Amino acid sequence: MTVISMDTNPEALSMTLVAEFEAGVERVWQLFEDPRQLERWWGPPTYPATFYKHEFVPGGKASYYMTSPEGEKSHGWWEFTNIEAPRRLEFNDGFADSDGNPTGDMGSAHAAVTLESVGERTRMTMLSTFESEEQLQQMVAMGMEEGLKEAVGQMDGILAEHANA
């Protein structure tokens, strides 16, 4: 498993995931930059994502949906607030309607992703911060911790394909 640790801190209104990959920083960065690769791992294995908008520039927006095993679609949005390729990515995110417009349901969160070299490997730290303790607890109750671990766990397979190509 790629995930080294997952820490939820109600006092700091945060959730931090740390993972390491057998790939260089630039290669791991591509898993965020390329929407076709991003949708192969964003979301748990049973809820695959489809990104139909992906403006990967500061101020750009991304729109996607995850499809449940029953075929139901849950929509989400990102707004990229900082991109320092290939080391740091920040975005706000939340739930959206079927047109990709933010619904305001459960507020929004802010994610900061940092990639750093650790020898031949890459360490990824994903820090999500929330607006309130209630929002954080709602996300935990919805299964965000396990879902994020499962999603990130899919990154190894994608990276291995390209390593062997």
Side-chain angles (χ1 to χ4, degrees), residues 31-51:
L31 297 184
F32 289 93
E33 186 176 48
D34 177 357
R36 300 298 72 89
Q37 292 183 60
L38 177 61
E39 65 190 9
R40 291 185 61 202
W41 68 268
W42 186 256
T46 56
Y47 282 79
T50 301
F51 279 79

Side-chain angles (χ1 to χ4, degrees), residues 1-3 6 17 19 21 31-32 37-49 66 124 126 143-158:
M1 177 58 107
T2 341
V3 176
M6 177 67 125
L17 178 140
F21 306 99
L31 297 184
F32 289 93
Q37 292 183 60
L38 177 61
E39 65 190 9
R40 291 185 61 202
W41 68 268
W42 186 256
T46 56
Y47 282 79
M66 293 188 294
M124 177 181 78
M126 187 179 292
M144 182 177 174
E145 291 168 309
E146 192 57 37
L148 190 57
K149 286 192 275 189
E150 289 178 2
V152 169
Q154 298 174 106
M155 293 171 78
D156 274 331
I158 301 164

Side-chain angles (χ1 to χ4, degrees), residues 8-9 23 25 42 48-49 63 74 91 152:
T8 300
N9 184 331
V25 168
W42 186 256
S63 297
S74 298
F91 56 92
V152 169

Side-chain angles (χ1 to χ4, degrees), residues 60-83:
K61 299 194 178 0
S63 297
Y64 69 95
Y65 58 86
M66 293 188 294
T67 306
S68 76
E70 298 76 35
E72 296 172 3
K73 293 184 166 109
S74 298
H75 293 261
W77 61 270
W78 291 0
E79 181 178 2
F80 298 104
T81 57
N82 184 32
I83 297 175

